[in-house]
Amino acid sequence: MAESTSERLARLLAMVAYLADRDDVPVAELAAHFGVPQAQIMRDVDTLWVSGTPGYQPDDLLDFSADSYDAQRITLTNARGMDRPLRLGPGEAVALIVALRALANLPGMGADPAVASALAKLTAAAGDAAEAAEAVALETADPALDAHVSRVLGTARAALAEGERVHLRYTSASDATTERDVDPLELLSDGEAWFLRGWCLLSDAVRHFRLDRVAAITRTGQDAVPHEVASTSGRVRPEQTLLQARLELTPRSRWVAERFGGEILAERDGAILVALDVADEAWLARLVLDLGPDVLGLEPRGLAESIAARAAAALAAYEEVG
Amino acid sequence: MTKADVRATVNGYSQASNDDAFERMFERDKVTLRELGIPLVTLTDDAHGDDIGYRIDLDGYDLPRVDLSPAEIGVLSVAAQVWDGAHLDLPARRALTKLRAVSPAASGELSGHVLRIPPPSATFDPLLSAIASRAVVTFGYRGATSSAPAQRRVEPWQLVVRDGAWYVLGHDLVRDAERMFRLTRITGAVKVGARGGATHPRVTGTGGGLGATSRASGSIGRTVGDDGAADVARVAVRPERAGEVRLRALAATPGEAAWSGWDVLELAVGNADDLAGLLAGHTDAVVVLEPPHLREAVVTRLRAAAGLATVGTATTGTETDPVSEPATDPATGDIQSSAPTTGEAGRG
């Protein structure tokens, strides 16, 4: 991604402030700290070296130790008064505070002391700029599952950090509970639920496990082994399509198309027709049962019939016993 | 410094071949500085004659002292990735960079964690500044059930996330009522009125007046059935089934009499709509014993689904009943019943 001027300028100023407090910082450390490649750090230092205040005589310029530089280490020798850390702008404060609150509100994160203290310190550091963020209300974790997810997340996190294989008892969307060993790759969240992405030894493939469906997780004491997959996917949900469903919905269920990336094929009074790419039949069945009377029709027909048969069986259970 | 001083002495501006080019560069650079939070102030005084002087206000420049631990800067590093590619992405990453200037290296506690929350549309910014300045906003809005956008005038109070979607909550001046508007249904630009133009008392906070989501309406309504009587539901669950429901159980006991062989779970109802959806999704593995409204909500869903065997996605053929203007406004989240009406359930 091309870097914007403001982003680079923010980093150049931040590096000067950071280096003012430290001597002989390895380029690799700067690169890791500021999240950019080492070559970018070298370009940044080259830019800073010819920067300064108008006049641009040698004494007006930022200066670095050339000896350190040649050894891939950076020492700032003249900061020219540019080493003052810059406050957060209002837009910056809001963007980061809201993001951090979203993290804090995730299941299992509310009790994390570093999250709570980081939020308090960020809010204090942002000053007045933090006030605008108060007008943003985020979802809070489902209290019915928070304690459970918190335990699962804690174990998954420890196993991930230590490269350890875990054993899961997992209930799928179709209510099938299985036992399996998984080599954790990363923990993902879409702001509502957590997913463990890992190599599943039962299916011999990468799988995403929703932590609120993990009935039990234990560490095996065995090392996770490397697999021929990216350790980070960068996206929360897998992108795959098993089938394309067509749902005829009441207009008030338009959110289904908006939320799940469906396409509205037709629209008229009283009904919208939505095409939806579906990765999992069980997921679609759950959606249809959840929507209830807002689903006016469903294709493929075979799927509609199997959902209808299961619903009829459930109604029979109500009549039989209840 | 005056603009002329800047042009004469600051590196880079000599590249400007004429006044217009210089003005463009100067304006662009002012915008960049202000984006960065650098407090650029203008002065008119004797020293600058008729020109405007520009100065960076050093009193407003500094980041207040902040001591972040390695774990805290690690947490902020994960948070700053949340907006991936959206318009809040760049400011969040700049904020992180500024904090890194005064922070130690991050610890790896949250490494391997990726968080992406659905970003708000760009209408977030004008709405947020309107809330801060108590201004009235005007925008085009296409509700879920309306075919054409209509102009809305709203005193915005709060921006809200529910079920992965962003809403603005406020007082709708045309309908003279509290309403929620989904940001993705706002069409065109949001016009922000004069500061202090909003007069209705705000309702903020997620508790109290603002209930849980009525997901079926795709909007936010008050929680229905929260008469305080039925906060705990009892459901019967077949053995070895409904693992996801079992994880939510406050208590589990073996079923008796007619429920012999089943397990009876107690569940916190919370949002009855959401719970009904979850339980209906488990079909014959779960039977709701009480409260009645939850049982009815689940049975209503099951009946509708059982009817799907006989209908297709008939987009041609018989006309269905128009739902053009319901008594309540589901698009904007007026009070919704958690149990859909039988009138809708019977359609097909």
Side-chain angles (χ1 to χ4, degrees), chain B residues 5 97 116 143 314:
Chain B
D5 296 336
T97 297
R116 299 270 187 266

Side-chain angles (χ1 to χ4, degrees), chain A residues 180-221:
Chain A
R180 51 182 95 207
D181 283 348
V182 174
D183 289 341
L185 292 167
E186 58 183 338
L187 281 158
L188 308 166
S189 179
D190 59 359
E192 290 181 64
W194 280 106
F195 301 83
L196 172 64
R197 176 172 168 269
W199 184 271
C200 171
L201 285 101
L202 185 70
S203 23
D204 209 23
V206 172
R207 288 285 181 268
H208 286 64
F209 301 97
R210 268 183 78 119
L211 295 197
D212 56 6
R213 290 197 189 128
V214 173
I217 178 170
T218 47
R219 296 171 63 172
T220 61

Side-chain angles (χ1 to χ4, degrees), chain B residues 129-159:
Chain B
S129 68
I131 292 169
S133 64
R134 301 275 286 133
V136 174
V137 292
T138 312
F139 51 80
Y141 190 74
R142 186 193 190 286
T145 56
S146 51
S147 50
Q151 283 295 114
R152 303 291 185 113
R153 287 183 64 234
V154 176
E155 295 182 358
W157 293 329
Q158 200 169 32
L159 287 150

Side-chain angles (χ1 to χ4, degrees), chain B residues 145-188:
Chain B
T145 56
S146 51
S147 50
Q151 283 295 114
R152 303 291 185 113
R153 287 183 64 234
V154 176
E155 295 182 358
W157 293 329
Q158 200 169 32
L159 287 150
V160 180
V161 184
R162 283 289 183 284
D163 288 321
W166 285 85
Y167 300 84
V168 57
L169 166 71
H171 187 90
D172 183 325
L173 292 169
V174 178
R175 288 166 168 77
D176 193 27
E178 181 187 324
R179 285 287 192 278
M180 305 283 312
F181 300 92
R182 199 174 170 115
L183 297 199
T184 51
R185 292 179 185 160
I186 290 175
T187 56

Side-chain angles (χ1 to χ4, degrees), chain A residues 6-7 33 56 85 87 92 95 117 121 135 137 139 142 175 187 189 213 255 258 267 290 301 318, chain B residues 60-61 67 72 83 93-94 98 100 112 114 116 142 159 163 182 215 242 244 248 288 301 309 311:
Chain A
S6 71
E7 191 173 15
H33 190 61
Y56 305 105
R87 66 172 186 164
E92 294 169 349
S117 59
K121 289 179 185 180
E139 279 180 295
D142 183 346
D175 195 22
L187 281 158
S189 179
R213 290 197 189 128
W255 66 268
E258 292 166 342
E267 206 171 331
D290 184 3
R301 300 289 312 140
Y318 273 87
Chain B
Y61 182 95
D67 287 304
E72 288 161 351
W83 306 115
R93 284 188 287 121
R94 278 203 315 262
K98 290 178 178 182
R100 281 171 166 165
V114 177
R116 299 270 187 266
R142 186 193 190 286
L159 287 150
D163 288 321
R182 199 174 170 115
R215 280 199 25 210
E244 202 179 334
R248 300 170 164 262
V288 180
R301 283 171 167 79
V311 294

Side-chain angles (χ1 to χ4, degrees), chain B residues 123-270:
Chain B
T123 52
F124 178 90
D125 291 344
L127 288 169
L128 194 65
S129 68
I131 292 169
S133 64
R134 301 275 286 133
V136 174
V137 292
T138 312
F139 51 80
Y141 190 74
R142 186 193 190 286
T145 56
S146 51
S147 50
Q151 283 295 114
R152 303 291 185 113
R153 287 183 64 234
V154 176
E155 295 182 358
W157 293 329
Q158 200 169 32
L159 287 150
V160 180
V161 184
R162 283 289 183 284
D163 288 321
W166 285 85
Y167 300 84
V168 57
L169 166 71
H171 187 90
D172 183 325
L173 292 169
V174 178
R175 288 166 168 77
D176 193 27
E178 181 187 324
R179 285 287 192 278
M180 305 283 312
F181 300 92
R182 199 174 170 115
L183 297 199
T184 51
R185 292 179 185 160
I186 290 175
T187 56
V190 172
K191 293 188 206 60
V192 180
R195 169 178 288 272
T199 55
H200 287 80
R202 291 181 197 214
V203 179
T204 52
T206 50
L210 207 130
T213 318
S214 173
R215 280 199 25 210
S217 65
S219 62
I220 295 170
R222 293 170 199 281
T223 312
V224 179
D226 58 354
D227 48 11
D231 294 326
V232 174
R234 287 174 63 246
V235 303
V237 179
R238 284 189 204 270
E240 310 291 319
R241 296 276 307 275
E244 202 179 334
V245 178
R246 287 170 187 272
L247 290 179
R248 300 170 164 262
L250 304 169
T253 49
E256 292 170 4
W259 300 104
S260 176
W262 295 55
D263 298 313
V264 175
L265 310 181
E266 287 184 11
L267 302 171
V269 174

Side-chain angles (χ1 to χ4, degrees), chain A residues 62-85:
Chain A
L62 288 164
D63 203 7
F64 295 87
S65 156
D67 291 345
S68 290
Y69 180 88
D70 292 339
Q72 292 279 300
R73 303 174 81 88
I74 307 299
T75 298
L76 182 67
T77 54
N78 187 349
R80 290 292 305 144
M82 289 164 70
D83 54 345
R84 301 168 65 152

Side-chain angles (χ1 to χ4, degrees), chain B residues 105-123:
Chain B
S107 69
E109 183 116 336
L110 289 187
S111 67
H113 287 52
V114 177
L115 171 63
R116 299 270 187 266
I117 66 174
S121 58
T123 52

